[in-house]
């Protein structure tokens, strides 16, 4: 059963065995314990049945093919009959082995993969609850690697690692027992190959694994370099950097060559080394076994303790130590690697989600649109307040423009209103309800948010618009698209509303993506609309469409806009000017211009030329 | 087959290693016969015939054979691995160079993922074929034929009987290849699907949270996850059925040897030693046969991979340097377009239709137009990323095609629409065009690009690695780094594609200031969406469907009816003040523009 993958052990970190973590992992196997039991039962049957063959072969030779002593006088019929019986038994043992191995592997995989399924699902569910703060601190690649690779490492440990190792131990035990049972002295003599084999295996296997890890790292470096070279080829060409880049690549290529050759060197010694020990085993059995037969024959024993058949069986068994020992030596690394993965996965699952529904929280009734920030302080981390004493009253249906430098606290106010975070002090209320006292679902399902970086999901254009209202019918979707000027271009796409949107909207222009995200928000018909507006690289005509769509979207709703377009700001009912986390001014455009404060200055610098 | 020969031709530079690998392989095959033969001799002669004095020498013979076999094995394995690695080393370098010789038009047609898979997976498959596949293929065939012949000589009847197991074994090997391996491929596909669901989930985090769609996302993930589980269990079930089945069939060979061979021994047609050796020889025969399925598969895959890789290597660049091209040291910056026509190969429509203009040294030229009007194309022709199909472009009076590509591009600094930074320290990114630049020069460039303060404020300053540990730069910040990068070259010609991806007003303002500083004293070409950045240009061209429809300066153009004035109106007015008529025109224009993005459509 060489079904052992070492993918996980070949890369990533290693951690020493930790029984608490191990048992926590084993806890996931609990619901499938009967499958596990089935696998173990089959494993015992398989381990015993698989070793029956050589024994039967030996017995058949010594008793019927080349009988010595009294058996030699058996009639021909009895000899042939005996031979038939043993051959039949041998064949039966092979069939039993086959079926038992099938059962062993299948039952174990069932148990392992189902429990891994549960683990990964639990992990994903937990991720959906974790606060944005947690995600801010980690690159997406790292999170991906937890859910995919680390879980995969555990899958390998459960699916094949554990049973392989357990099965190998049982197999070794059975072999040793049979050998001792057949002939104690020859058995002890042939065990002489075990110490050098152990030495060989335990010296080389970890080094080979290490060397393969090296190779993987080097290959990953080459791939990373290539990826970047291809993505950046236009820059490279325009800066005429081909030669330098080639030098860098060639160096990595050379490193990879060196690492691979080093690993191959180890393998090239290890493999024939193991075979040589096998040859030694053969030599020992032949010589020592032969000597025993010689002595017994010369002593004139009629029927010796050892015949050529048993010798032949020994020749087979002595080669069978090698595989289990090799597996055992790799298992330790696999376990260490699984421990490292376990630690990382459980650390995520033990992370408090941060923002969550308070006990006894109620659903927020349909939003009227009255929003109050009441003396709110907020810090993303520690004491570092990014919003201080924020106090703001917004009446239903009014349009609020948030203005200020990058980092002044505009996004923070919006994050608090969506309850992506909770304030450190003070409170945010909608229609008089403290956001911490209403359920997240009921709050967010009534908000419409259009973000600066328009994100579309892979799927059709229709799916993307319907993301705002999953059960929307065709008419609703079209009306929403029409209202934000998106209908016309969607109709012109190759498959209209069914045109697939590439990854992150790749095959649509910036303007098109923005209009689709407007339709998505409009379809939702939110009580409060939040907009992170960006001036984007669209031409003046597209810009006009977007502006127009925006007006449709904002009509009659309470809206918060991180505004960059002058027209948006000028049309706002209330402009809120933020600086260093404080609200420094508020009022309409003309009021603020007249006041001649921060806003007037900002306006002069940024918009004077427009 | 031709592909395989071409792949094999890469072995030519290493005849010594190749010979060594093959000779040792031959020796290995021969040595494989020794131990079973010695075993047979021990049983038949030393034990049964009682020639006891032969026991020790024969056992030592086994050890000697083991040592020789081991040495052969070492040489065979190491040399073939070395050959594979040497070839792949050469091939990778060749590919890398080739990728950088390919023109922009090639990259317009190709997707990064696809190219990556050619240069990584395909090359790896080829390596495995050269390092393991080839030599084992030869060995398997030699071994099978050799052992079979040998067995026929020992006892052809027993051989025939044992061969009964061959058809079911071959059948199972085939079933394994056709029914088990494809299932694992599907498992991989399911996993890839699951990974992309996850990737999207993380990237779209804010949208998901703000639409309160967590449950929907969980369902989506669960569906993919369950698919993966089921596919996986299905694959395991087949694997668990077929793999031990192969062991069983091989075992049946031994049963047959015992059953029929035993009869032969009893009948006196064969010695007991040969019976035991026969079993060992059978293992030598079946091992390579079982490998054969894998080897054939590997050869097929290697051939397919090689086809793709060679196709890439055979793609030729259409931007080539003329023999004896002039090396232009430092250009003055006099650029002239003379009736330039151009079309991207894929779409038949010309993107530029007879564009002519002249930019004198030190002038700033602004190009305006709707999306798809051909602005970026004009920019791409100046560094000769593409060649015009008609007409010509000159720099200081030289046709671009008469200059060396290197000297041409060294005279041009570019800030492109999609800012690409390398995941290297910021200092290195800024110095990308001049790797030897001092840190003072780098800082000066960053200051001019209005990005110095931001960089200095990062934890590791200029040594901060872009894209690492969450140090992502925003679109506007990246663009300013790119401006610094272009500036450090101190080029006489500057090309700025200012169609910035979403930035806020403040950033735009900063970029604006940076650009104005940078353009002084150089021939600058600038694409701008906003009129504010073209006011100070010496010349303004308005492009519409590949033609220059208006030219002049801001002052002259604002006074005449036309696209320029229209854009100006659109941008300075509030949308609410726009009349129905103008709005309708703008709508049509915008949709037309959206349709015209070259290469941006599936």
């Amino acid at each position: 059963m060489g079904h052992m993958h070492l993918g996980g052990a070949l890369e990533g970190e290693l951690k020493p065995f930790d029984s608490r973590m191990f048992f926590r992992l084993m806890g996931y196997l609990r619901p499938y314990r009967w499958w596990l039991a089935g696998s173990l039962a089959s494993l015992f049957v398989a381990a015993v049945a698989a070793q029956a063959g050589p024994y039967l072969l030996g017995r058949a030779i010594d008793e019927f093919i080349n009988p010595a002593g009294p058996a030699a006088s058996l009639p021909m019929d009895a000899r042939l009959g005996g031979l038939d019986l043993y051959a039949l038994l041998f064949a039966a043992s092979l069939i039993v082995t086959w079926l038992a191995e099938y059962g062993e592997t299948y039952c174990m995989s069932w148990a392992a993969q189902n429990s891994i399924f549960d683990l990964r699902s639990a992990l994903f569910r937990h991720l959906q609850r974790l606060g944005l703060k947690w995600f801010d601190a980690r690159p997406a690649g790292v999170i991906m690697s937890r859910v995919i690779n680390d879980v995969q490492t555990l899958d390998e440990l459960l699916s094949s690692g554990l049973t392989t190792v357990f099965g190998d131990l049982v197999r070794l035990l059975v072999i040793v027992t049979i050998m001792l049972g057949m002939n104690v002295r020859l058995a002890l003599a042939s065990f002489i190959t075990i110490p050098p084999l152990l030495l060989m295996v335990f010296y080389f296997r970890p080094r080979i694994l290490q060397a393969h890890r090296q190779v993987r790292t080097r290959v990953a470096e080459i791939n990373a370099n290539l990826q970047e070279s291809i993505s950046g080829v236009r820059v490279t060409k325009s800066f005429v950097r081909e030669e330098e880049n080639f030098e860098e690549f060639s160096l990595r290529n050379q490193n990879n060559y060196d690492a691979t050759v080093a690993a191959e060197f180890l393998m090239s010694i290890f493999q024939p080394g193991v075979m040589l020990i096998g040859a030694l085993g053969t030599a020992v059995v032949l010589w020592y076994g032969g000597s025993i037969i010689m002595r017994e024959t010369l002593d004139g024993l009629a029927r010796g303790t050892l015949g050529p058949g048993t010798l032949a069986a020994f020749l087979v068994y002595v080669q069978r130590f090698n595989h289990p020992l090799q597996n055992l030596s790799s298992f330790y690394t696999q376990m260490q690697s699984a421990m490292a993965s376990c630690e990382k996965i459980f650390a995520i699952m033990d992370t408090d989600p941060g923002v969550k529904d308070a006990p006894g929280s109620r659903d927020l009734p349909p939003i009227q649109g009255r929003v109050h920030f009441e003396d709110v302080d907020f810090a993303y981390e520690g004491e570092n307040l990014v919003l201080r004493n924020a106090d703001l009253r917004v009446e239903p249906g009014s349009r609020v423009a948030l203005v200020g430098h990058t980092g002044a606290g505009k996004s923070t106010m919006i994050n608090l209103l969506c309850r992506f975070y909770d304030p450190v002090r003070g409170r945010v209320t909608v229609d008089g309800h403290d956001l911490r006292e209403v359920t997240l679902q009921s709050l967010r399902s009534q908000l419409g948010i259009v973000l600066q970086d328009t994100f579309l999901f892979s799927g059709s254009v229709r799916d993307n618009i319907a993301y705002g209202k999953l059960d929307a019918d065709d008419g609703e979707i079209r009306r929403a698209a029409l209202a934000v000027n998106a209908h016309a271009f969607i109709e012109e796409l190759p498959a209209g509303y069914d045109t697939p949107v590439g990854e992150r909207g790749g095959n649509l222009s910036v303007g098109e993506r923005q209009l689709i995200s407007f339709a998505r928000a409009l379809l939702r018909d939110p009580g409060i609309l939040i907009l992170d507006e960006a001036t984007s690289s669209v031409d003046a005509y597209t810009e006009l469409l977007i502006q127009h769509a925006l007006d449709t979207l904002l009509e009659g709703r309470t809206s918060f806009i991180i505004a960059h377009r002058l027209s948006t700001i000028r049309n706002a009912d209330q402009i809120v000017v933020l600086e260093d986390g404080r609200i420094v001014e508020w009022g309409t455009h003309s009021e603020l211009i007249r006041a001649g404060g921060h806003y007037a200055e900002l306006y002069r610098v940024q918009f004077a030329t427009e | 087959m031709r592909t395989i020969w071409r792949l094999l031709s890469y072995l030519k530079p290493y005849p010594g290693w190749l010979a060594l690998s093959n000779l040792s392989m031959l020796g290995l095959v021969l040595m494989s016969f020794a131990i079973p033969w010695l075993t047979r001799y021990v049983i038949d002669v030393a034990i049964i015939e009682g020639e006891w004095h032969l026991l020790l020498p024969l056992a030592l013979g086994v050890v000697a054979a083991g040592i020789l076999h081991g040495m052969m094995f070492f040489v065979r394995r190491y040399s073939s691995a070395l050959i594979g690695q040497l070839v792949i080393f050469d091939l990778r370098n060749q590919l890398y160079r080739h990728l950088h010789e390919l023109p922009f038009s090639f990259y317009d047609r190709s997707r990064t993922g696809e190219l990556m898979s050619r240069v990584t997976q395909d090359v790896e498959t080829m390596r495995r074929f050269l390092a393991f596949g080839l030599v084992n293929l030869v060995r398997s065939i030699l071994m099978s034929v050799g052992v079979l012949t040998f067995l026929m000589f020992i006892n052809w009847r027993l051989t025939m009987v044992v061969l009964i197991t061959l058809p079911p074994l071959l059948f199972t090997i085939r079933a394994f290849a056709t029914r088990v391996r494809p299932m694992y491929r599907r498992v991989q596909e399911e996993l890839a699907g699951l990974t992309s669901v996850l990737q999207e989930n993380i990237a779209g985090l804010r949208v998901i949270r703000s639409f309160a769609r967590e449950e929907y996302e969980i369902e989506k993930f669960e569906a993919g996850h369950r698919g993966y589980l089921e596919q996986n269990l299905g694959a395991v079930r087949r694997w668990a059925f077929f793999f031990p089945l192969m062991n069983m069939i091989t075992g049946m060979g031994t049963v047959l040897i015992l059953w029929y061979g035993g009869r032969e021994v009893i009948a006196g047609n064969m010695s007991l030693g040969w019976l035991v050796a026969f079993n060992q020889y059978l293992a030598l025969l079946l091992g390579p046969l079982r490998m054969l399925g894998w080897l054939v598969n590997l050869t097929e895959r290697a051939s397919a991979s090689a086809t793709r890789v060679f196709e890439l290597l055979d793609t030729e660049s259409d931007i080539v340097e003329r023999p004896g091209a002039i090396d232009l040291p430092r250009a003055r910056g006099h650029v002239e377009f003379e009736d330039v026509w151009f079309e991207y190969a894929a779409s038949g429509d010309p993107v530029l239709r007879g564009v002519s203009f002249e930019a004198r040294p030190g002038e700033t030229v602004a190009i305006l137009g709707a999306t798809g009007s051909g602005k970026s194309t004009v920019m791409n022709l100046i560094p000769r990323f593409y060649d015009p199909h008609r007409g010509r472009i000159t720099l200081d009076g030289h046709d671009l095609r008469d200059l060396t590509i290197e000297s041409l591009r060294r005279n041009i600094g570019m800030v492109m629409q999609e800012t690409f930074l390398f995941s290297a320290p910021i200092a290195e990114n800024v110095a990308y065009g001049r790797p030897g630049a001092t840190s003072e020069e780098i800082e000066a460039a960053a200051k001019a690009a209005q990005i110095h303060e931001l960089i200095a404020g990062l934890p590791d300053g200029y040594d901060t690695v872009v894209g690492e540990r969450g140090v992502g730069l925003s679109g506007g910040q990246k663009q300013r780094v790119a401006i610094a990068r272009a500036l450090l070259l101190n080029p006489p010609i500057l090309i700025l594609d200012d169609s910035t991806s979403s930035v806020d007003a403040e950033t735009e303002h900063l970029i604006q200031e940076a650009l104005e500083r940078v353009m002084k004293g150089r021939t600058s070409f600038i694409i701008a969406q906003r009129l504010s950045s073209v006011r100070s240009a010496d010349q303004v061209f308005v492009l519409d469907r590949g033609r220059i429809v208006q030219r002049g300066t801001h002052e002259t153009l604002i006074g005449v009816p036309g696209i320029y004035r229209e854009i100006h109106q659109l941008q300075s007015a509030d949308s609410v003040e726009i009349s129905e008529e103008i709005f309708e025109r703008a709508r049509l224009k915008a949709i037309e523009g959206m349709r015209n993005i070259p290469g941006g459509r599936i």
Side-chain angles (χ1 to χ4, degrees), chain B residues 2-18:
Chain B
R2 278 240 312 283
T3 320
I4 292 287
W5 282 119
R6 181 160 168 197
L7 178 57
L8 293 182
S9 73
Y10 275 84
L11 296 170
K12 265 191 217 144
Y14 310 104
W17 286 112
L18 198 60

Side-chain angles (χ1 to χ4, degrees), chain B residues 12-272:
Chain B
K12 265 191 217 144
Y14 310 104
W17 286 112
L18 198 60
L20 192 61
S21 154
N22 280 304
L23 281 177
S24 56
M25 193 260 299
L26 214 61
L28 189 64
V29 169
L30 288 177
M31 283 316 293
S32 304
F33 283 81
I35 292 180
W37 192 83
L38 287 167
T39 306
R40 175 254 138 190
Y41 214 79
V42 169
I43 293 176
D44 281 351
V45 181
I47 296 177
I48 295 180
E49 289 175 19
E51 304 276 349
W52 306 111
H53 62 278
L54 286 177
L55 263 184
L56 190 63
L58 285 172
L60 289 177
V62 169
V63 176
I67 292 174
L68 264 174
H69 180 271
M71 280 162 42
M72 298 283 188
F73 194 103
F74 170 79
V75 175
R76 203 271 304 160
R77 176 159 180 139
Y78 191 63
S79 58
S80 51
L82 209 62
I83 292 173
Q85 204 51 39
L86 282 166
V87 167
I88 264 23
F89 177 80
D90 295 342
L91 189 66
R92 275 211 190 97
N93 277 353
Q94 194 191 352
L95 264 172
Y96 192 88
R97 276 192 184 281
H98 190 73
L99 280 172
H100 282 82
E101 278 159 18
L102 288 170
F104 273 37
S105 55
F106 173 80
Y107 288 96
D108 294 340
R109 300 190 296 269
S110 324
R111 273 185 293 194
T112 310
E114 204 186 309
L115 283 179
M116 272 303 285
S117 114
R118 287 192 193 192
V119 290
T120 57
Q121 270 135 287
D122 283 340
V123 168
E124 173 61 18
T125 310
M126 289 158 79
R127 182 187 77 85
R128 289 187 10 175
F129 171 71
L130 292 175
F132 308 112
L134 188 60
V135 72
N136 274 316
L137 202 61
V138 179
R139 186 180 74 105
S140 287
I141 293 169
L142 266 179
M143 200 74 157
S144 315
V145 174
V147 172
L148 208 59
T149 319
F150 189 70
L151 288 182
M152 293 293 250
F153 269 111
I154 298 171
N155 188 323
W156 67 270
R157 284 180 306 272
L158 180 56
T159 310
M160 296 316 261
V161 170
V162 170
L163 283 184
I164 293 174
T165 58
L166 215 55
L169 181 66
L170 291 178
F171 176 79
T172 314
I173 289 172
R174 211 186 129 61
F176 201 77
T178 55
R179 303 191 50 198
V180 181
R181 269 199 220 104
M183 295 219 41
Y184 278 98
R185 218 167 300 139
R186 277 200 287 280
V187 169
Q188 283 312 308
E189 283 163 16
E190 287 279 349
L191 184 65
L194 188 68
T195 309
S196 61
V197 170
L198 179 67
Q199 191 171 10
E200 203 167 74
N201 181 276
I202 298 172
L205 184 73
R206 275 164 204 272
V207 178
I208 293 162
R209 294 296 168 92
S210 59
F211 279 87
R213 284 276 180 259
E214 289 91 341
E215 279 308 318
Y216 174 71
E217 289 295 316
I218 288 174
E219 276 168 34
K220 203 155 76 173
F221 182 80
E222 214 88 305
H225 196 189
R226 189 153 291 280
Y228 172 64
L229 172 73
E230 274 157 18
Q231 198 62 253
N232 215 338
L233 282 175
V236 166
R237 188 159 50 205
R238 286 213 183 150
W239 188 92
F241 181 85
F242 280 110
F243 193 80
L245 180 61
M246 286 200 280
N247 288 339
M248 191 198 81
I249 297 172
T250 352
M252 286 299 175
T254 307
V255 172
L256 287 174
I257 291 175
L258 173 64
W259 180 72
Y260 189 79
R263 281 176 156 63
E264 288 282 282
V265 175
I266 292 172
N269 292 334
M270 193 169 81
S271 71
L272 181 64

Side-chain angles (χ1 to χ4, degrees), chain A residues 34-286:
Chain A
W34 295 113
W35 288 92
L36 192 63
S39 172
L40 286 182
S42 322
L43 182 150
F44 275 106
V45 175
V48 175
Q51 306 310 332
Y55 175 75
L56 293 170
L57 177 82
R59 288 284 299 270
I61 291 175
D62 286 347
E63 287 176 23
F64 303 113
I65 297 177
N66 183 37
S73 53
L74 271 177
M76 191 54 82
D77 276 3
R79 283 174 71 182
L80 290 179
L83 185 59
D84 287 346
L85 180 67
Y86 274 122
L88 218 58
L89 280 175
F90 193 165
S93 80
L94 288 173
I95 294 173
V96 170
T97 310
W98 171 40
L99 294 176
E101 281 186 351
Y102 171 72
E104 173 198 339
T105 310
Y106 188 62
C107 289
M108 192 60 215
S109 299
W110 178 277
Q113 310 240 337
N114 272 291
S115 52
I116 287 300
F117 176 85
D118 296 344
L119 174 68
R120 190 184 265 133
S121 293
L123 182 61
F124 185 80
R125 275 175 186 277
H126 193 74
L127 281 180
Q128 299 310 299
R129 270 184 280 278
L130 280 179
L132 292 188
K133 203 186 257 188
W134 188 85
F135 288 92
D136 292 343
R138 287 162 184 79
V142 171
I143 305 171
M144 301 270 304
S145 151
R146 294 296 160 269
V147 184
I148 302 294
N149 303 352
D150 284 318
V151 173
Q152 208 71 1
T153 309
L154 299 186
D155 186 357
E156 280 155 22
L157 178 75
L158 295 188
S159 293
S160 56
L162 284 179
T163 39
T164 306
V165 127
F166 195 68
D168 284 334
L169 286 174
V170 174
R171 243 155 254 156
L172 277 177
L173 207 70
V174 172
I175 295 172
V176 167
T177 314
I178 294 180
M179 287 172 88
L180 285 170
M182 287 197 302
N183 190 304
V184 178
R185 277 186 300 164
L186 185 53
L188 292 177
S190 41
F191 294 161
I192 215 173
T193 57
I194 295 182
L197 198 56
L198 276 177
L199 222 63
M200 189 81 187
V201 161
F202 280 83
Y203 179 83
F204 274 101
R205 286 297 293 201
R207 282 171 177 73
I208 288 172
L209 272 182
Q210 183 58 35
H212 280 310
R213 288 164 70 96
Q214 273 294 327
V215 172
R216 290 238 180 170
T217 316
R218 299 284 168 254
V219 168
E221 281 171 13
I222 285 201
N223 290 355
N225 183 293
L226 273 169
Q227 170 92 45
E228 206 166 73
S229 296
I230 292 176
S231 312
V233 71
R234 287 159 202 262
V235 179
T236 304
K237 282 162 107 55
S238 47
F239 284 83
V240 210
R241 264 278 297 235
E242 289 94 334
E243 272 313 306
E244 283 90 345
N245 287 7
F246 176 73
E247 294 300 315
E248 270 175 42
F249 176 79
S250 193
L251 187 72
R252 290 203 167 81
N253 200 2
Q254 182 69 48
N255 286 342
N256 171 59
Y257 173 87
D258 293 342
T260 313
V261 168
E264 285 299 334
F265 181 74
L266 285 175
M267 281 300 284
S268 303
I269 291 189
F270 176 69
Q271 279 194 335
V274 169
M275 288 178 180
L276 177 58
I277 294 175
L280 275 176
T282 304
V284 167
V285 170
L286 286 178

